[in-house]
Amino acid sequence: MTFPDGYVDIPPGKVAAVVTSLEMLAPPVLPPDPVADGAIRRVAQPDLDWYRDLYARVGSEWLWSQRLRMSDAELAATIRPAGVEIYTLEHAGGDEALLELDFRKKTDCELVLFGVTSGLIGTSAGRLLMNHALRRAWAQPLTRLWVHTCSFDHPRALAFYQRSGFRPYRRQIEIAPDPRLDGTLPRDVAAHVPVITPR
C-alpha cells in the first residue's frame, strides 16, 4: 500500500496521532534506582472503579480513553486475566502511577500502560517505575518486550523509552473519536490537541 505525500484531512470530531512502536530484544543495563518518596505495589484483581480513577488521573491529559469506554465486563476481562500484571506507585498516601504488563504471549511481553500522575511528572518516579517494569519483564523467559507511544503523549515520552533501552521499529497513524466530545473525558484536558467539532 502506498500513501501520497502531503496533507490528509482528519474528519471533524476525530483526532489523529502518530504512533511509534518500540521494542527491546534483550535485557538492558539498568541505571540505579533513584531515591524516591514512594513504593511500588502490585494490585491483584484490581477494583474497576479504582482502576478507572487512576487510569483517568494518569492518562486524561494524553487522551487515554479506551478503557473508560469499556463496560465492567470488558474491563474486567482486559485487566484481570492470568498473565496481566497491574502495578501502582504509592506516594503521599495515594496511588499515583499505573503500570500494566501483559505476559500472555509466550516469550513476548507488552508494556501496555505506563504513566504517573501530573504531580510526579519530572520527578524520579518515572525512572523508578520503569526500572521495576524492566526487571519484572526480563525476569521471565522473554525474547521481546515492546511498547507504543504517540504524539499525544508527553513530549519527552519517546526519548524516555529510548533512554530506557527501547528501539523504534514501526510508525502508524491512529484515528479515533475525540473523547472530549462525547463526555468520556472533560472538554478542557489535552490542550495541546485542539478540539474541532463537527459543523
Short mmCIF file of all heavy atoms in Angstrom, two decimals, residues 120-174:
data_model
loop_
_atom_site.label_atom_id
_atom_site.label_comp_id
_atom_site.label_asym_id
_atom_site.label_seq_id
_atom_site.Cartn_x
_atom_site.Cartn_y
_atom_site.Cartn_z
N LEU A 120 3.81 14.01 39.65
CA LEU A 120 5.05 13.26 39.68
C LEU A 120 5.83 13.33 38.37
O LEU A 120 6.94 12.79 38.27
CB LEU A 120 4.78 11.79 40.03
CG LEU A 120 4.25 11.53 41.44
CD1 LEU A 120 4.10 10.04 41.70
CD2 LEU A 120 5.16 12.16 42.49
N ILE A 121 5.27 13.99 37.36
CA ILE A 121 6.00 14.15 36.10
C ILE A 121 7.23 15.01 36.35
O ILE A 121 7.16 16.05 37.00
CB ILE A 121 5.09 14.79 35.02
CG1 ILE A 121 3.99 13.80 34.63
CG2 ILE A 121 5.90 15.20 33.80
CD1 ILE A 121 2.96 14.37 33.68
N GLY A 122 8.35 14.57 35.85
CA GLY A 122 9.59 15.31 36.04
C GLY A 122 10.33 14.96 37.32
O GLY A 122 11.40 15.52 37.59
N THR A 123 9.78 14.04 38.09
CA THR A 123 10.46 13.57 39.30
C THR A 123 11.13 12.23 38.99
O THR A 123 11.10 11.76 37.86
CB THR A 123 9.48 13.40 40.47
OG1 THR A 123 8.66 12.24 40.23
CG2 THR A 123 8.60 14.63 40.62
N SER A 124 11.67 11.59 40.00
CA SER A 124 12.32 10.30 39.81
C SER A 124 11.32 9.14 39.75
O SER A 124 11.73 7.99 39.54
CB SER A 124 13.31 10.05 40.94
OG SER A 124 12.65 10.12 42.19
N ALA A 125 10.03 9.44 39.88
CA ALA A 125 9.04 8.36 39.94
C ALA A 125 8.99 7.56 38.65
O ALA A 125 8.86 6.33 38.67
CB ALA A 125 7.65 8.95 40.24
N GLY A 126 9.09 8.24 37.51
CA GLY A 126 9.04 7.52 36.23
C GLY A 126 10.20 6.55 36.08
O GLY A 126 10.01 5.42 35.62
N ARG A 127 11.41 6.97 36.46
CA ARG A 127 12.56 6.07 36.36
C ARG A 127 12.42 4.89 37.30
O ARG A 127 12.72 3.75 36.95
CB ARG A 127 13.85 6.85 36.66
CG ARG A 127 15.10 6.00 36.73
CD ARG A 127 15.28 5.07 35.55
NE ARG A 127 15.27 5.78 34.28
CZ ARG A 127 15.07 5.18 33.10
NH1 ARG A 127 14.86 3.87 33.04
NH2 ARG A 127 15.07 5.89 31.98
N LEU A 128 11.93 5.14 38.52
CA LEU A 128 11.71 4.05 39.48
C LEU A 128 10.73 3.04 38.91
O LEU A 128 10.95 1.83 38.97
CB LEU A 128 11.20 4.61 40.81
CG LEU A 128 10.98 3.59 41.92
CD1 LEU A 128 12.31 3.01 42.40
CD2 LEU A 128 10.24 4.24 43.10
N LEU A 129 9.64 3.53 38.33
CA LEU A 129 8.62 2.65 37.78
C LEU A 129 9.16 1.88 36.57
O LEU A 129 8.89 0.68 36.41
CB LEU A 129 7.39 3.48 37.39
CG LEU A 129 6.11 2.72 37.07
CD1 LEU A 129 5.57 2.02 38.32
CD2 LEU A 129 5.05 3.67 36.50
N MET A 130 9.90 2.55 35.70
CA MET A 130 10.46 1.87 34.54
C MET A 130 11.47 0.81 34.94
O MET A 130 11.47 -0.31 34.38
CB MET A 130 11.10 2.87 33.58
CG MET A 130 11.72 2.23 32.34
SD MET A 130 10.54 1.26 31.34
CE MET A 130 9.61 2.57 30.54
N ASN A 131 12.34 1.11 35.89
CA ASN A 131 13.28 0.09 36.35
C ASN A 131 12.55 -1.15 36.86
O ASN A 131 12.94 -2.28 36.59
CB ASN A 131 14.17 0.64 37.46
CG ASN A 131 15.32 1.49 36.93
OD1 ASN A 131 15.41 1.75 35.72
ND2 ASN A 131 16.18 1.94 37.82
N HIS A 132 11.46 -0.91 37.59
CA HIS A 132 10.67 -2.04 38.09
C HIS A 132 10.08 -2.82 36.92
O HIS A 132 10.11 -4.06 36.91
CB HIS A 132 9.55 -1.54 39.00
CG HIS A 132 8.68 -2.64 39.51
ND1 HIS A 132 9.01 -3.40 40.61
CD2 HIS A 132 7.50 -3.13 39.04
CE1 HIS A 132 8.07 -4.33 40.80
NE2 HIS A 132 7.15 -4.18 39.86
N ALA A 133 9.52 -2.12 35.94
CA ALA A 133 8.92 -2.79 34.78
C ALA A 133 9.94 -3.65 34.05
O ALA A 133 9.65 -4.80 33.67
CB ALA A 133 8.33 -1.75 33.84
N LEU A 134 11.13 -3.11 33.84
CA LEU A 134 12.15 -3.85 33.09
C LEU A 134 12.67 -5.04 33.88
O LEU A 134 12.88 -6.12 33.31
CB LEU A 134 13.29 -2.91 32.72
CG LEU A 134 12.90 -1.78 31.76
CD1 LEU A 134 14.08 -0.86 31.51
CD2 LEU A 134 12.35 -2.32 30.44
N ARG A 135 12.85 -4.88 35.18
CA ARG A 135 13.29 -6.02 35.99
C ARG A 135 12.23 -7.12 35.98
O ARG A 135 12.56 -8.30 35.84
CB ARG A 135 13.59 -5.57 37.42
CG ARG A 135 14.99 -5.06 37.64
CD ARG A 135 15.34 -5.00 39.12
NE ARG A 135 14.46 -4.08 39.82
CZ ARG A 135 14.73 -2.79 40.01
NH1 ARG A 135 15.85 -2.26 39.54
NH2 ARG A 135 13.89 -2.02 40.66
N ARG A 136 10.98 -6.72 36.17
CA ARG A 136 9.90 -7.71 36.22
C ARG A 136 9.74 -8.43 34.88
O ARG A 136 9.59 -9.65 34.82
CB ARG A 136 8.59 -7.03 36.61
CG ARG A 136 7.38 -7.94 36.61
CD ARG A 136 7.50 -9.03 37.65
NE ARG A 136 6.44 -10.02 37.51
CZ ARG A 136 6.65 -11.33 37.49
NH1 ARG A 136 7.86 -11.81 37.63
NH2 ARG A 136 5.64 -12.17 37.35
N ALA A 137 9.79 -7.66 33.79
CA ALA A 137 9.61 -8.27 32.47
C ALA A 137 10.73 -9.25 32.16
O ALA A 137 10.49 -10.41 31.78
CB ALA A 137 9.55 -7.18 31.41
N TRP A 138 11.97 -8.82 32.34
CA TRP A 138 13.10 -9.66 31.94
C TRP A 138 13.42 -10.74 32.96
O TRP A 138 14.32 -11.57 32.71
CB TRP A 138 14.31 -8.80 31.63
CG TRP A 138 14.11 -8.04 30.35
CD1 TRP A 138 13.87 -6.71 30.21
CD2 TRP A 138 14.11 -8.58 29.03
NE1 TRP A 138 13.71 -6.38 28.89
CE2 TRP A 138 13.86 -7.51 28.13
CE3 TRP A 138 14.30 -9.87 28.50
CZ2 TRP A 138 13.78 -7.69 26.75
CZ3 TRP A 138 14.23 -10.05 27.12
CH2 TRP A 138 13.98 -8.97 26.27
N ALA A 139 12.69 -10.80 34.06
CA ALA A 139 12.79 -11.96 34.96
C ALA A 139 12.10 -13.17 34.35
O ALA A 139 12.28 -14.30 34.82
CB ALA A 139 12.19 -11.63 36.32
N GLN A 140 11.29 -12.93 33.29
CA GLN A 140 10.60 -14.00 32.58
C GLN A 140 11.46 -14.43 31.39
O GLN A 140 12.35 -13.69 30.95
CB GLN A 140 9.24 -13.51 32.09
CG GLN A 140 8.41 -12.80 33.15
CD GLN A 140 8.25 -13.62 34.41
OE1 GLN A 140 7.84 -14.77 34.35
NE2 GLN A 140 8.59 -13.04 35.54
N PRO A 141 11.19 -15.61 30.82
CA PRO A 141 11.98 -16.08 29.66
C PRO A 141 11.54 -15.38 28.38
O PRO A 141 10.98 -15.99 27.46
CB PRO A 141 11.69 -17.58 29.64
CG PRO A 141 10.32 -17.71 30.24
CD PRO A 141 10.24 -16.64 31.30
N LEU A 142 11.77 -14.08 28.29
CA LEU A 142 11.34 -13.30 27.14
C LEU A 142 12.38 -13.28 26.03
O LEU A 142 13.58 -13.41 26.29
CB LEU A 142 11.09 -11.84 27.54
CG LEU A 142 9.99 -11.52 28.54
CD1 LEU A 142 9.89 -10.00 28.70
CD2 LEU A 142 8.65 -12.09 28.12
N THR A 143 11.91 -13.06 24.82
CA THR A 143 12.80 -12.68 23.72
C THR A 143 12.48 -11.27 23.24
O THR A 143 13.24 -10.71 22.44
CB THR A 143 12.65 -13.65 22.53
OG1 THR A 143 11.29 -13.67 22.08
CG2 THR A 143 13.07 -15.06 22.94
N ARG A 144 11.35 -10.70 23.72
CA ARG A 144 10.96 -9.37 23.24
C ARG A 144 10.04 -8.69 24.25
O ARG A 144 9.12 -9.30 24.78
CB ARG A 144 10.22 -9.51 21.91
CG ARG A 144 9.73 -8.22 21.28
CD ARG A 144 9.16 -8.52 19.90
NE ARG A 144 8.63 -7.34 19.26
CZ ARG A 144 7.31 -7.02 19.22
NH1 ARG A 144 6.43 -7.82 19.80
NH2 ARG A 144 6.90 -5.93 18.61
N LEU A 145 10.32 -7.42 24.48
CA LEU A 145 9.45 -6.54 25.27
C LEU A 145 9.15 -5.34 24.39
O LEU A 145 10.04 -4.78 23.77
CB LEU A 145 10.18 -6.10 26.54
CG LEU A 145 9.50 -5.03 27.41
CD1 LEU A 145 8.21 -5.57 28.01
CD2 LEU A 145 10.46 -4.57 28.52
N TRP A 146 7.86 -4.96 24.31
CA TRP A 146 7.55 -3.85 23.42
C TRP A 146 6.54 -2.90 24.05
O TRP A 146 5.85 -3.23 25.03
CB TRP A 146 7.06 -4.35 22.07
CG TRP A 146 5.68 -4.95 22.05
CD1 TRP A 146 5.32 -6.21 22.43
CD2 TRP A 146 4.49 -4.31 21.58
NE1 TRP A 146 3.98 -6.39 22.25
CE2 TRP A 146 3.43 -5.25 21.73
CE3 TRP A 146 4.21 -3.06 21.07
CZ2 TRP A 146 2.11 -4.95 21.37
CZ3 TRP A 146 2.89 -2.76 20.72
CH2 TRP A 146 1.87 -3.70 20.87
N VAL A 147 6.48 -1.70 23.49
CA VAL A 147 5.62 -0.63 23.99
C VAL A 147 5.29 0.28 22.82
O VAL A 147 6.01 0.28 21.80
CB VAL A 147 6.34 0.15 25.12
CG1 VAL A 147 7.56 0.88 24.61
CG2 VAL A 147 5.39 1.11 25.82
N HIS A 148 4.20 1.02 22.92
CA HIS A 148 3.99 2.07 21.92
C HIS A 148 3.66 3.37 22.63
O HIS A 148 3.12 3.39 23.74
CB HIS A 148 2.91 1.69 20.90
CG HIS A 148 1.51 1.67 21.44
ND1 HIS A 148 0.90 0.53 21.89
CD2 HIS A 148 0.61 2.66 21.57
CE1 HIS A 148 -0.33 0.82 22.30
NE2 HIS A 148 -0.54 2.11 22.12
N THR A 149 4.02 4.46 21.98
CA THR A 149 3.70 5.80 22.44
C THR A 149 3.18 6.59 21.25
O THR A 149 3.25 6.12 20.12
CB THR A 149 4.92 6.47 23.09
OG1 THR A 149 4.54 7.73 23.66
CG2 THR A 149 6.04 6.71 22.08
N CYS A 150 2.63 7.76 21.50
CA CYS A 150 2.07 8.51 20.38
C CYS A 150 2.29 10.00 20.57
O CYS A 150 2.73 10.46 21.63
CB CYS A 150 0.59 8.20 20.18
SG CYS A 150 -0.52 9.04 21.32
N SER A 151 1.96 10.75 19.54
CA SER A 151 2.21 12.19 19.54
C SER A 151 1.28 12.95 20.48
O SER A 151 1.45 14.16 20.66
CB SER A 151 2.09 12.75 18.12
OG SER A 151 0.87 12.38 17.51
N PHE A 152 0.31 12.29 21.10
CA PHE A 152 -0.50 12.93 22.14
C PHE A 152 0.19 12.86 23.50
O PHE A 152 -0.17 13.57 24.42
CB PHE A 152 -1.86 12.25 22.27
CG PHE A 152 -2.76 12.42 21.08
CD1 PHE A 152 -3.83 11.56 20.88
CD2 PHE A 152 -2.56 13.43 20.16
CE1 PHE A 152 -4.67 11.69 19.80
CE2 PHE A 152 -3.40 13.58 19.06
CZ PHE A 152 -4.45 12.70 18.89
N ASP A 153 1.15 11.94 23.65
CA ASP A 153 1.78 11.72 24.94
C ASP A 153 2.70 12.88 25.33
O ASP A 153 2.93 13.80 24.54
CB ASP A 153 2.59 10.42 24.91
CG ASP A 153 1.71 9.18 24.97
OD1 ASP A 153 0.56 9.30 25.41
OD2 ASP A 153 2.18 8.10 24.58
N HIS A 154 3.22 12.80 26.54
CA HIS A 154 4.15 13.82 27.00
C HIS A 154 5.28 13.97 25.98
O HIS A 154 5.77 12.97 25.43
CB HIS A 154 4.72 13.43 28.37
CG HIS A 154 5.47 14.52 29.03
ND1 HIS A 154 6.75 14.88 28.67
CD2 HIS A 154 5.11 15.37 30.05
CE1 HIS A 154 7.16 15.89 29.41
NE2 HIS A 154 6.18 16.22 30.25
N PRO A 155 5.71 15.18 25.68
CA PRO A 155 6.73 15.36 24.64
C PRO A 155 8.06 14.67 24.92
O PRO A 155 8.85 14.46 24.00
CB PRO A 155 6.90 16.89 24.56
CG PRO A 155 6.27 17.44 25.80
CD PRO A 155 5.21 16.47 26.19
N ARG A 156 8.31 14.30 26.16
CA ARG A 156 9.55 13.60 26.48
C ARG A 156 9.38 12.08 26.57
O ARG A 156 10.33 11.36 26.87
CB ARG A 156 10.13 14.13 27.80
CG ARG A 156 10.56 15.59 27.73
CD ARG A 156 11.46 15.99 28.88
NE ARG A 156 10.82 15.86 30.18
CZ ARG A 156 10.13 16.81 30.79
NH1 ARG A 156 9.97 17.99 30.21
NH2 ARG A 156 9.59 16.61 31.98
N ALA A 157 8.17 11.58 26.29
CA ALA A 157 7.92 10.15 26.47
C ALA A 157 8.76 9.29 25.53
O ALA A 157 9.38 8.31 25.95
CB ALA A 157 6.43 9.85 26.26
N LEU A 158 8.80 9.65 24.26
CA LEU A 158 9.54 8.84 23.30
C LEU A 158 11.02 8.78 23.66
O LEU A 158 11.64 7.70 23.64
CB LEU A 158 9.35 9.41 21.89
CG LEU A 158 10.05 8.65 20.76
CD1 LEU A 158 9.62 7.20 20.70
CD2 LEU A 158 9.77 9.34 19.42
N ALA A 159 11.61 9.91 24.00
CA ALA A 159 13.02 9.93 24.38
C ALA A 159 13.26 9.11 25.64
O ALA A 159 14.29 8.44 25.78
CB ALA A 159 13.49 11.36 24.57
N PHE A 160 12.32 9.15 26.58
CA PHE A 160 12.45 8.37 27.82
C PHE A 160 12.50 6.88 27.51
O PHE A 160 13.34 6.14 28.05
CB PHE A 160 11.29 8.70 28.76
CG PHE A 160 11.27 7.90 30.02
CD1 PHE A 160 12.11 8.21 31.08
CD2 PHE A 160 10.41 6.82 30.16
CE1 PHE A 160 12.10 7.46 32.25
CE2 PHE A 160 10.38 6.07 31.33
CZ PHE A 160 11.23 6.40 32.38
N TYR A 161 11.59 6.42 26.64
CA TYR A 161 11.60 5.00 26.28
C TYR A 161 12.91 4.62 25.60
O TYR A 161 13.47 3.54 25.86
CB TYR A 161 10.42 4.67 25.37
CG TYR A 161 9.09 4.67 26.08
CD1 TYR A 161 8.01 5.41 25.60
CD2 TYR A 161 8.89 3.91 27.23
CE1 TYR A 161 6.79 5.42 26.25
CE2 TYR A 161 7.68 3.90 27.89
CZ TYR A 161 6.63 4.66 27.40
OH TYR A 161 5.42 4.66 28.04
N GLN A 162 13.42 5.49 24.74
CA GLN A 162 14.68 5.18 24.06
C GLN A 162 15.85 5.16 25.04
O GLN A 162 16.72 4.29 24.95
CB GLN A 162 14.91 6.18 22.93
CG GLN A 162 13.93 6.00 21.78
CD GLN A 162 14.13 7.00 20.67
OE1 GLN A 162 13.73 8.14 20.76
NE2 GLN A 162 14.77 6.56 19.60
N ARG A 163 15.86 6.09 25.99
CA ARG A 163 16.91 6.06 27.01
C ARG A 163 16.84 4.80 27.86
O ARG A 163 17.84 4.34 28.40
CB ARG A 163 16.82 7.29 27.93
CG ARG A 163 17.28 8.57 27.30
CD ARG A 163 17.54 9.64 28.36
NE ARG A 163 16.44 9.81 29.29
CZ ARG A 163 15.39 10.61 29.08
NH1 ARG A 163 15.30 11.29 27.95
NH2 ARG A 163 14.44 10.72 29.98
N SER A 164 15.65 4.24 27.97
CA SER A 164 15.45 3.03 28.79
C SER A 164 15.87 1.77 28.06
O SER A 164 15.88 0.69 28.65
CB SER A 164 13.98 2.93 29.21
OG SER A 164 13.60 4.05 30.00
N GLY A 165 16.19 1.88 26.77
CA GLY A 165 16.67 0.72 26.01
C GLY A 165 15.77 0.26 24.89
O GLY A 165 16.11 -0.69 24.18
N PHE A 166 14.61 0.89 24.71
CA PHE A 166 13.72 0.53 23.60
C PHE A 166 14.20 1.17 22.31
O PHE A 166 14.74 2.29 22.32
CB PHE A 166 12.29 1.00 23.90
CG PHE A 166 11.59 0.25 24.99
CD1 PHE A 166 11.60 0.72 26.30
CD2 PHE A 166 10.91 -0.93 24.71
CE1 PHE A 166 10.95 0.04 27.31
CE2 PHE A 166 10.25 -1.62 25.73
CZ PHE A 166 10.27 -1.14 27.03
N ARG A 167 13.95 0.48 21.18
CA ARG A 167 14.31 0.99 19.86
C ARG A 167 13.08 1.02 18.96
O ARG A 167 12.34 0.04 18.88
CB ARG A 167 15.39 0.12 19.22
CG ARG A 167 16.71 0.14 19.97
CD ARG A 167 17.38 1.51 19.87
NE ARG A 167 18.58 1.62 20.71
CZ ARG A 167 18.62 2.22 21.89
NH1 ARG A 167 17.52 2.74 22.40
NH2 ARG A 167 19.75 2.30 22.57
N PRO A 168 12.84 2.13 18.28
CA PRO A 168 11.66 2.23 17.41
C PRO A 168 11.74 1.23 16.25
O PRO A 168 12.82 1.01 15.70
CB PRO A 168 11.70 3.67 16.89
CG PRO A 168 12.62 4.40 17.80
CD PRO A 168 13.60 3.39 18.31
N TYR A 169 10.59 0.64 15.90
CA TYR A 169 10.57 -0.26 14.75
C TYR A 169 9.36 -0.06 13.84
O TYR A 169 9.31 -0.62 12.74
CB TYR A 169 10.63 -1.73 15.20
CG TYR A 169 9.36 -2.23 15.86
CD1 TYR A 169 8.36 -2.86 15.12
CD2 TYR A 169 9.16 -2.09 17.23
CE1 TYR A 169 7.19 -3.32 15.72
CE2 TYR A 169 8.01 -2.55 17.85
CZ TYR A 169 7.03 -3.16 17.08
OH TYR A 169 5.88 -3.60 17.68
N ARG A 170 8.39 0.75 14.26
CA ARG A 170 7.18 0.91 13.43
C ARG A 170 6.53 2.25 13.73
O ARG A 170 6.55 2.71 14.88
CB ARG A 170 6.19 -0.22 13.74
CG ARG A 170 4.97 -0.25 12.84
CD ARG A 170 4.06 -1.40 13.25
NE ARG A 170 3.01 -1.62 12.28
CZ ARG A 170 2.01 -2.50 12.45
NH1 ARG A 170 1.96 -3.22 13.55
NH2 ARG A 170 1.09 -2.65 11.52
N ARG A 171 5.96 2.87 12.69
CA ARG A 171 5.22 4.11 12.87
C ARG A 171 3.87 3.98 12.16
O ARG A 171 3.81 3.49 11.03
CB ARG A 171 6.02 5.30 12.32
CG ARG A 171 5.39 6.64 12.60
CD ARG A 171 6.28 7.79 12.17
NE ARG A 171 7.47 7.88 13.00
CZ ARG A 171 8.71 7.88 12.54
NH1 ARG A 171 8.95 7.78 11.26
NH2 ARG A 171 9.73 7.98 13.36
N GLN A 172 2.80 4.42 12.85
CA GLN A 172 1.45 4.33 12.30
C GLN A 172 0.69 5.63 12.59
O GLN A 172 1.09 6.41 13.45
CB GLN A 172 0.68 3.16 12.95
CG GLN A 172 1.30 1.79 12.71
CD GLN A 172 0.68 0.74 13.61
OE1 GLN A 172 0.92 0.71 14.81
NE2 GLN A 172 -0.14 -0.11 13.02
N ILE A 173 -0.41 5.81 11.88
CA ILE A 173 -1.35 6.88 12.18
C ILE A 173 -2.60 6.25 12.78
O ILE A 173 -3.16 5.31 12.20
CB ILE A 173 -1.74 7.68 10.92
CG1 ILE A 173 -0.52 8.32 10.27
CG2 ILE A 173 -2.80 8.72 11.25
CD1 ILE A 173 0.10 9.43 11.07
N GLU A 174 -3.02 6.74 13.93
CA GLU A 174 -4.25 6.26 14.56
C GLU A 174 -5.29 7.37 14.54
O GLU A 174 -5.02 8.50 14.97
CB GLU A 174 -4.00 5.84 16.01
CG GLU A 174 -5.25 5.32 16.71
CD GLU A 174 -5.02 4.96 18.16
OE1 GLU A 174 -4.02 5.42 18.74
OE2 GLU A 174 -5.84 4.21 18.72
#
